[in-house]
Amino acid sequence: MSTDSKNLSNPVSKENNDDIDLMALLFAILRGWKIIVFFAVLGLIIGVLYSRYVNPTFKSDALIQIEENSKGVAALGADISELVGSEGSKAQAEAELIRSRMILEPVVSLLHLRIRLSDPNIGTLDRIKSDSTATQINKPEGVSLKTKDGEVEISQFNVSQEYLNQSFSLMRSETGFVLSNGFEDFKGEIGQPQQFRGTDGQIQITVNNLPADGYSINLTKQSLQMTTERLNSALSVVEKGKQTGIIQLSMTGDNQQQTSLILKQIVLSYIDQNQSRGSEETTKTISFMETQIPTLKKRLEDSEAIFNEFRKKYGTIDVAKEAELLLTESSQIELQLNELKLKKADLTTYYTEEHPLVIQINDQLAVLNARRQEIDNTIAGLPEIQREFLQLSADTTINREIYLTLLKNYEQLKIVKAGQIGFARIIDLPINTFNAIAPKKLQIIILAMLSGAMLGTMLVLLKNMLRNVVKDPERIEAKTGVPVVATIPRSPLLTRLRKDKKVPNRLLAYADSNSLSYEAIKSLRTSLMFGMTTPEQGGQRAKVILITGESPGVGKSFISANLTEVFAQLDKKVLIMDADMRLGELHKIFGMTQDNGLADYLSQDKLSQNMTDFAQNNAQVPEAITTQKISNLASFIHPTNIDNIDFMPRGEYPRNPASLLSDSRLNNLITELSSHYDYIIIDSPPILAASDAMILAQYANKVLMVTRYDNSIEGQLVYAVNQMNKANIEVDGIILNDVQQGIMSKYSYHYSYAYGNNQ
């Protein structure tokens, strides 16, 4: 009997089964192909929609060369080059300079980039349908945006600090336009500069054009910081190669012409700043000369006037050869002194008195002054008139030389400034290619589809890890210690029939008699016949087979009904009993009702016993009542339309099914039925749902547990077997039901061959 606990098998689930079965993972992925395909298609749809939703992105490029030194001054001679210093610049430093507000702010102001227009009437579906939407155009004349109802044109929009980055709505009205921030409305005329005073400050705006009445446009005045950051996010400035001095500027945007225009203005702004910085030293030198020329000219005129007056008064005087030599030398010294003073004055505009160059000039001045003093002492010995003549003549000559030299240099520096170009030059200005660099639709679609497939694969694997379902018969045997006595493949034809709720449940013999499922049921019958060869005892000839499962929905009723049918084919009298008094549905398979079944029999039998016991203790009850049988057993056994098969339905739902089964009357019922049938097949409730199966198992010769392939939880099956073992009930075998065949099932080799009529 199944209650013999001595032969209970010890589960070998403690063995180490932690090794990763790569083949099992592969087949798990293949079994979940529907989920993977679903997410791949979903990713494909998202990729297509995204590629149409995103506006095309265009790119513009420009090249600038950074030279080490400025060559404009050197081209005019070494003397002028000495007056103007040189400054080197590295490309990396200039690249950072290009991204600064000093360069970007003039561009922002010129093109009104702080004004932002957007069309709130364009929704997601509109963007997908149109594949691209219109973007605002910034020009020196103003900002414009095309809409389906007209064009927006704004040439001026200035707000106070409090209104910065605040969204306004702009709409045409009958008299002009209405500007609103949600709290205040400002009305103005189109085409005329308007000035409003709000609670947070002033607003200046000039609207040149608007769409039709009722069409709203969003308008924002961004802060300079936000605008420059937005420009920098779209701007790339890098040195092309290493130590090449070539800077490549790239900018991306939604409009090719707009992007090229902004990048061109950035390049021009940088070149203007570079030229201004390169001519700064020349400008300072010219400014210094402009302050000195009038003074030197006045000094020359004064010395000439005094000298002419002296000659007029004394006439012409011949100077001796020695005096002439001294005078010549004195003149040269004076000339050198003035040149050194001029150079010193230029240097002191940049350096202090402690600078080595300034100290060197001071030393030279000291030497020349000493020599001049010596000459003056020599000349002092000459006659007074001759000495005065020489003095006035020398002053006039020196002043003339200084004035003419300074004037010459001044004119040369003006020429230098006019031709000075700085140390940066434009190699390439941006051009319009009209080739979108993004979105790359094919790549996006492929990546989205692959991402969806990867996500689906991850979900399949995660589901396989979290929900360890029943699949491998060998693994089931290893986990439970119970042999798998049959694997029942899925019947595709019967599965299709079950989808139609109007079609009643049918047996395999009538729905799919040539299927692998039917052959597997017959194989199970053969296995049970050889496994129950005990001799008949005490007139009991019926073999009782209990069919149960670990949880609802595993197909125990399907197995019970079809197993009954194949036993009846052997000309054996078979009774199938629906012992699931809660939710049994065997009556639907046989096309009968649930009335007058097991629950009714046990309930009425109990009532009859109670009345008999009451009558024996109460002499006033008539004997006819005490001996009356409420019902006999035959009224609860119903013949079916299949030969050799009788059916006992579940009956009306009782309040306590377990109590009815626990009474001795169930034993009497099984004993009485055993004398009339060869096989009694009992369909019991699931083990984890009720304890009925443990009670019914006491009367069974074989206890079989049904589990559903790729649906039942492996842990629940093991727990159900353990529960039966704890009740000293041996589970004789496990039936793996609804096994799906094909290359995506790792264990399909267990039932890949079928014998039947293929005609």
Side-chain angles (χ1 to χ4, degrees):
M1 295 293 289
S2 298
T3 57
D4 186 3
S5 63
K6 295 181 181 181
N7 296 325
L8 292 178
S9 301
N10 294 324
V12 292
S13 60
K14 295 182 180 179
E15 294 182 0
N16 185 9
N17 293 322
D18 295 334
D19 295 338
I20 297 177
D21 192 342
L22 296 179
M23 187 62 68
L25 291 178
L26 176 61
F27 280 100
I29 293 174
L30 293 177
R31 282 193 300 271
W33 68 271
K34 293 182 179 179
I35 297 177
I36 297 174
V37 170
F38 171 78
F39 278 96
V41 173
L42 181 62
L44 176 64
I45 295 173
I46 293 175
V48 172
L49 295 179
Y50 177 78
S51 62
R52 294 187 59 85
Y53 177 81
V54 178
N55 270 344
T57 300
F58 300 91
K59 183 179 181 181
S60 296
D61 297 307
L63 290 179
I64 297 176
Q65 182 183 11
I66 305 298
E67 298 176 346
E68 291 298 326
N69 296 314
S70 175
K71 299 181 179 179
V73 178
L76 295 175
D79 294 337
I80 300 302
S81 299
E82 292 178 358
L83 293 176
V84 181
S86 62
E87 181 180 351
S89 175
K90 295 183 178 180
Q92 190 62 34
E94 295 302 313
E96 294 300 323
L97 180 63
I98 292 174
R99 304 175 69 95
S100 66
R101 284 195 299 271
M102 180 182 69
I103 302 299
L104 298 181
E105 185 174 358
V107 180
V108 171
S109 300
L110 176 66
L111 299 179
H112 310 281
L113 296 179
R114 295 175 62 183
I115 301 176
R116 303 297 300 169
L117 296 175
S118 62
D119 189 351
N121 303 285
I122 297 179
T124 302
L125 292 179
D126 297 326
R127 298 187 64 172
I128 294 175
K129 290 179 181 178
S130 63
D131 197 17
S132 63
T133 56
T135 58
Q136 72 176 50
I137 303 298
N138 294 73
K139 296 180 180 179
E141 297 80 13
V143 184
S144 62
L145 175 65
K146 290 184 179 180
T147 68
K148 62 180 181 181
D149 284 358
E151 187 173 5
V152 185
E153 294 181 1
I154 297 176
S155 58
Q156 177 193 208
F157 183 50
N158 298 317
V159 298
S160 301
Q161 180 70 30
E162 290 75 10
Y163 287 123
L164 289 178
N165 303 319
Q166 187 177 130
S167 180
F168 290 83
S169 64
L170 186 62
M171 187 183 302
R172 179 187 286 271
S173 64
E174 295 181 356
T175 58
F177 67 87
V178 177
L179 180 69
S180 174
N181 63 354
F183 303 98
E184 302 171 284
D185 294 337
F186 307 99
K187 298 181 180 179
E189 298 180 5
I190 296 178
Q192 299 294 328
Q194 304 291 322
Q195 184 169 344
F196 308 110
R197 178 174 292 277
T199 57
D200 293 332
Q202 292 187 347
I203 300 175
Q204 295 177 345
I205 187 172
T206 302
V207 180
N208 298 323
N209 194 14
L210 281 176
D213 294 350
Y215 199 93
S216 177
I217 296 295
N218 289 341
L219 175 63
T220 305
K221 180 73 172 184
Q222 290 184 339
S223 64
L224 178 62
Q225 179 70 22
M226 182 179 293
T227 305
T228 53
E229 288 178 354
R230 183 173 58 84
L231 280 179
N232 273 318
S233 65
L235 178 64
S236 173
V237 185
V238 295
E239 184 176 7
K240 199 170 184 180
K242 292 184 178 181
Q243 303 298 325
T244 60
I246 304 296
I247 296 179
Q248 183 178 29
L249 293 86
S250 302
M251 174 167 277
T252 58
D254 297 337
N255 185 286
Q256 177 70 82
Q257 293 179 328
Q258 180 72 31
T259 303
S260 299
L261 176 61
I262 295 175
L263 184 59
K264 178 182 177 181
Q265 293 301 325
I266 291 175
V267 172
L268 296 179
S269 175
Y270 168 71
I271 294 299
D272 290 342
Q273 291 287 342
N274 182 267
Q275 289 180 350
S276 176
R277 184 157 51 114
S279 62
E280 183 177 357
E281 297 178 21
T282 306
T283 303
K284 287 185 177 181
T285 304
I286 291 176
S287 299
F288 172 74
M289 289 181 175
E290 288 176 347
T291 60
Q292 295 297 315
I293 286 175
T295 303
L296 294 177
K297 183 178 181 181
K298 182 66 171 59
R299 185 184 300 174
L300 175 60
E301 291 175 349
D302 292 343
S303 62
E304 287 179 345
I306 294 173
F307 183 59
N308 291 334
E309 184 66 26
F310 178 82
R311 292 178 62 188
K312 182 178 180 181
K313 182 178 179 181
Y314 294 102
T316 304
I317 302 176
D318 295 330
V319 181
K321 189 66 174 179
E322 181 181 359
E324 291 179 2
L325 293 174
L326 293 173
L327 181 59
T328 301
E329 184 179 0
S330 178
S331 299
Q332 293 176 352
I333 291 174
E334 287 294 330
L335 181 59
Q336 294 177 9
L337 287 172
N338 282 285
E339 288 179 352
L340 290 174
K341 290 179 180 179
L342 180 61
K343 186 174 292 186
K344 179 182 178 181
D346 183 51
L347 290 174
T348 53
T349 60
Y350 303 98
Y351 310 111
T352 63
E353 292 292 333
E354 289 78 11
H355 195 273
L357 294 178
V358 178
I359 295 175
Q360 184 180 2
I361 291 176
N362 289 334
D363 294 339
Q364 294 177 3
L365 289 174
V367 174
L368 292 175
N369 285 326
R371 176 57 182 163
R372 185 181 65 174
Q373 184 63 36
E374 183 180 354
I375 294 174
D376 290 343
N377 293 336
T378 304
I379 294 176
L382 296 176
E384 183 67 24
I385 295 176
Q386 189 176 12
R387 186 176 71 252
E388 187 176 354
F389 176 84
L390 293 175
Q391 183 68 39
L392 294 175
S393 177
D395 290 342
T396 302
T397 302
I398 292 171
N399 290 334
R400 183 180 292 109
E401 290 292 336
I402 294 174
Y403 175 72
L404 292 176
T405 301
L406 187 61
L407 189 62
K408 175 184 176 182
N409 290 339
Y410 174 72
E411 294 298 331
Q412 287 181 337
L413 284 176
K414 288 175 64 178
I415 297 173
V416 169
K417 182 180 179 181
Q420 209 160 26
I421 60 174
F423 53 80
R425 66 167 180 165
I426 301 174
I427 298 178
D428 290 329
L429 280 174
I431 59 174
N432 298 324
T433 61
F434 298 101
N435 293 325
I437 63 171
K440 296 186 181 299
K441 296 186 178 182
L442 182 60
Q443 293 183 8
I444 290 175
I445 292 173
I446 293 176
L447 288 176
M449 185 171 60
L450 292 178
S451 299
M454 291 177 61
L455 179 60
T457 303
M458 292 174 61
L459 290 177
V460 169
L461 293 176
L462 183 62
K463 177 183 177 183
N464 187 67
M465 292 173 59
L466 296 180
R467 190 172 181 267
N468 198 6
V469 293
V470 171
K471 295 176 183 176
D472 183 8
E474 298 171 357
R475 182 179 176 88
I476 295 173
E477 293 178 351
K479 289 283 187 179
T480 62
V482 178
V484 176
V485 295
T487 55
I488 311 299
R490 172 180 292 185
S491 171
L493 179 58
L494 192 60
T495 301
R496 289 195 298 269
L497 291 175
R498 286 175 178 173
K499 292 181 179 179
D500 188 357
K501 297 182 178 180
K502 297 181 180 179
V503 177
N505 294 331
R506 300 177 64 184
L507 295 172
L508 285 171
Y510 303 101
D512 196 7
S513 60
N514 292 325
S515 65
L516 293 175
S517 305
Y518 196 44
E519 294 299 324
I521 294 291
K522 292 179 180 180
S523 298
L524 174 61
R525 175 193 65 185
T526 303
S527 175
L528 292 175
M529 287 174 58
F530 287 103
M532 296 186 298
T533 57
T534 56
E536 299 179 5
Q537 298 177 358
Q540 179 180 352
R541 63 186 181 91
K543 309 297 189 299
V544 181
I545 303 173
L546 177 69
I547 308 294
T548 185
E550 87 281 355
S551 60
V554 296
K556 56 183 181 57
S557 298
F558 167 79
I559 298 296
S560 301
N562 285 280
L563 185 61
T564 301
E565 191 274 332
V566 295
F567 270 119
Q569 290 181 8
L570 302 177
D571 200 19
K572 300 291 184 179
K573 191 67 174 177
V574 185
L575 172 68
I576 180 169
M577 179 187 299
D578 191 353
D580 188 354
M581 292 180 284
R582 296 173 177 83
L583 300 172
E585 294 185 352
L586 271 176
H587 58 279
K588 295 181 180 179
I589 298 178
F590 292 100
M592 305 174 71
T593 64
Q594 69 182 43
D595 302 329
N596 295 327
L598 177 62
D600 301 315
Y601 173 80
L602 295 177
S603 299
Q604 293 186 14
D605 191 38
K606 182 178 180 181
L607 178 60
S608 176
Q609 182 65 35
N610 292 338
M611 292 181 63
T612 301
D613 294 340
F614 177 77
Q616 292 176 354
N617 297 325
N618 192 344
Q620 296 179 357
V621 178
E623 182 178 358
I625 297 179
T626 60
T627 58
Q628 180 184 6
K629 288 286 186 180
I630 297 179
S631 176
N632 55 31
L633 180 60
S635 62
F636 299 96
I637 305 298
H638 307 282
T640 64
N641 56 2
I642 304 175
D643 294 340
N644 300 323
I645 296 179
D646 290 338
F647 175 54
M648 188 174 193
R650 64 183 176 95
E652 294 296 328
Y653 175 70
R655 289 184 297 177
N656 194 349
S659 299
L660 293 177
L661 296 176
S662 300
D663 200 84
S664 59
R665 58 189 175 277
L666 177 62
N667 184 37
N668 297 333
L669 173 64
I670 298 298
T671 301
E672 185 175 353
L673 292 175
S674 296
S675 61
H676 299 286
Y677 295 96
D678 296 302
Y679 293 96
I680 299 175
I681 297 177
I682 303 175
D683 181 13
S684 72
I687 296 173
L688 300 182
S691 61
D692 298 8
M694 298 181 185
I695 301 172
L696 293 167
Q698 309 295 327
Y699 308 99
N701 299 97
K702 286 288 184 180
V703 177
L704 302 179
M705 184 175 296
V706 181
T707 186
R708 184 177 289 274
Y709 176 85
D710 204 22
N711 184 272
S712 297
I713 306 300
E714 189 177 85
Q716 292 183 354
L717 176 61
V718 174
Y719 182 76
V721 173
N722 291 336
Q723 289 296 103
M724 297 289 279
N725 292 339
K726 291 179 181 178
N728 292 329
I729 299 172
E730 178 184 358
V731 178
D732 298 289
I734 294 176
I735 300 174
L736 187 57
N737 185 34
D738 198 32
V739 180
Q740 302 177 42
Q741 304 178 70
I743 61 171
M744 289 182 291
S745 178
K746 176 183 176 183
Y747 308 105
S748 61
Y749 60 81
H750 286 287
Y751 33 81
S752 59
Y753 178 78
Y755 178 80
N757 183 12
N758 294 324
Q759 294 180 352

